[in-house]
Amino acid sequence: MVHTETLASAALNTVSRVSGGLAGAGTYALFHMPLARSRMRNSERELFGKADVRRLKVNGKLAVTYRWGDGERPVLLVHGWQSRGSRLADFVPGLLDRGYSVITFDAPGHGDATGRSTTILEYRDIITGLQNEYGEFEAVVAHSLGALGSFFALQGGVTAKRVVTISGVCDYDYLIEEFSSALKLRQPLKAQLHQRVAKNLFPGMPAELTPFSAVNTVTDLEPPLLIIHDEDDTRISVKQGRRLAAAFGGQARLIITSGLGHRRILGDPEVVRTVLDFVEHGPDRSTDAATEADADADSKAAADSEAAATQ
């Protein structure tokens, strides 16, 4: 993948010196195109073989949806970039044991869905379509980019009684900065990418709120939040989790783990247990008091840092 990124960087930056518009269009297209498509693991096949599998049309492409249970008390699991619904498989058995139905999906360009690319608009439309079918979600559990897509859908009218983010992205601008850095984009190309994102993805949004950030949904969202992020995450910085927790204040519970990184965190037994307990009981502060105290300290530190950054 590193070799692919190097070639893409050289090509885009070279073309930009001849045709800025052509390079800008190519950069925008590549930004929404996963460079790898995850395959289902052998350990996931038995569980997903028991799911009710359907197709959901979105923007001319077919997302793949999976459901366990009868559709009552639905909990939605949302995957991240270059991932797939099956990566959240460890949450499914526990949710079913607690009487929930479980729903997840492969977004376009991911897993078994069609297409080569996807956008935050398509995440929103898929999540909205699933809510139209199953009703209000008991909870949304989202990983990585899936967190940002979920907040975008929640701002657009989707409802959930609880929200869980794991290694979640808080700011769309973070994705642009990371992408631009990875491809070593020249400043004019980076500026074009910002312009195309604002025009194509968030055309009705005030300029000061573009690109989208989950912090701007604080006044719109009422459900309690559980935010879990690993301090050793090299894909999505733990600062994104702290920023999200600081924005929502007392509405959010922040847990910082260590040594799990960006992906292994999804299968950690303690993380899974904590998420299941939160989905079932909400922010019950009588449990896991030591971890909660640490989380409160982390949230306060995040709030202090955020306040200092805005002064």
Side-chain angles (χ1 to χ4, degrees):
M1 184 183 300
V2 174
H3 183 58
T4 302
E5 289 180 348
T6 300
L7 291 175
S9 172
L12 290 170
N13 283 310
T14 298
V15 172
S16 71
R17 291 181 170 88
V18 179
S19 173
L22 181 61
T27 301
Y28 179 77
L30 185 62
F31 179 65
H32 292 106
M33 189 179 299
L35 297 180
R37 186 184 287 257
S38 296
R39 297 182 179 181
M40 190 174 293
R41 296 168 180 162
N42 290 334
S43 60
E44 301 162 350
R45 291 189 182 281
E46 182 178 356
L47 176 64
F48 274 71
K50 299 175 181 178
D52 177 18
V53 182
R54 301 184 185 184
R55 302 292 186 273
L56 179 62
K57 191 171 184 179
V58 55
N59 197 24
K61 294 171 276 190
L62 294 177
V64 180
T65 68
Y66 308 88
R67 193 201 76 207
W68 298 262
D70 59 8
E72 297 297 316
R73 304 182 71 210
V75 173
L76 178 67
L77 309 178
V78 186
H79 72 77
W81 191 248
Q82 294 183 345
S83 188
R84 57 184 299 145
S86 62
R87 294 298 183 262
L88 293 103
D90 286 320
F91 297 99
V92 176
L95 288 168
L96 292 175
D97 288 344
R98 286 163 170 79
Y100 297 101
S101 296
V102 185
I103 303 161
T104 189
F105 62 87
D106 296 339
H110 294 75
D112 293 334
T114 65
R116 296 183 60 195
S117 65
T118 196
T119 68
I120 193 172
L121 300 181
E122 292 172 355
Y123 265 78
R124 178 198 63 190
D125 292 347
I126 293 168
I127 294 171
T128 300
L130 290 171
Q131 177 136 116
N132 290 341
E133 183 172 359
Y134 297 107
E136 180 183 31
F137 297 120
E138 293 290 319
V140 172
V141 180
H143 179 240
S144 192
L145 173 66
L148 195 64
S150 296
F151 277 108
F152 194 51
L154 288 164
Q155 187 186 54
V158 167
T159 56
K161 295 178 182 177
R162 319 238 197 277
V163 176
V164 179
T165 70
I166 305 172
S167 310
V169 178
C170 177
D171 306 300
Y172 200 93
D173 192 59
Y174 178 85
L175 301 175
I176 296 176
E177 292 296 327
E178 289 296 301
F179 176 82
S180 299
S181 176
L183 267 65
K184 298 180 174 61
L185 295 182
R186 295 172 62 238
Q187 185 56 39
L189 266 184
K190 181 178 173 182
Q192 275 210 49
L193 180 56
H194 271 280
Q195 293 168 4
R196 288 175 184 268
V197 163
K199 178 181 178 181
N200 296 334
L201 300 184
F202 313 112
M205 190 175 293
E208 65 273 15
L209 300 180
T210 300
F212 175 76
S213 172
V215 303
N216 296 328
T217 67
V218 171
T219 58
D220 301 321
L221 302 186
E222 297 180 354
L225 276 68
L226 173 63
I227 300 165
I228 305 177
H229 216 114
D230 195 82
E231 63 182 1
D232 300 313
D233 192 329
T234 58
R235 186 71 179 269
I236 305 298
S237 170
V238 68
K239 293 179 181 179
Q240 286 284 283
R242 294 186 187 277
R243 176 166 159 77
L244 186 59
F248 281 88
Q251 190 176 340
R253 174 186 176 191
L254 174 65
I255 296 178
I256 304 297
T257 60
S258 178
L260 297 176
H262 188 67
R263 294 184 177 87
R264 285 195 301 115
I265 194 171
L266 290 175
D268 180 75
E270 184 63 19
V271 169
V272 172
R273 183 193 68 79
T274 301
V275 170
L276 294 178
D277 287 347
F278 181 83
V279 170
E280 185 172 17
H281 303 296
D284 182 0
R285 294 183 177 272
S286 66
T287 62
D288 205 4
T291 302
E292 189 70 314
D294 290 341
D296 287 344
D298 285 327
S299 185
K300 182 179 185 301
D304 293 341
S305 175
E306 189 70 18
T310 59
Q311 290 178 352

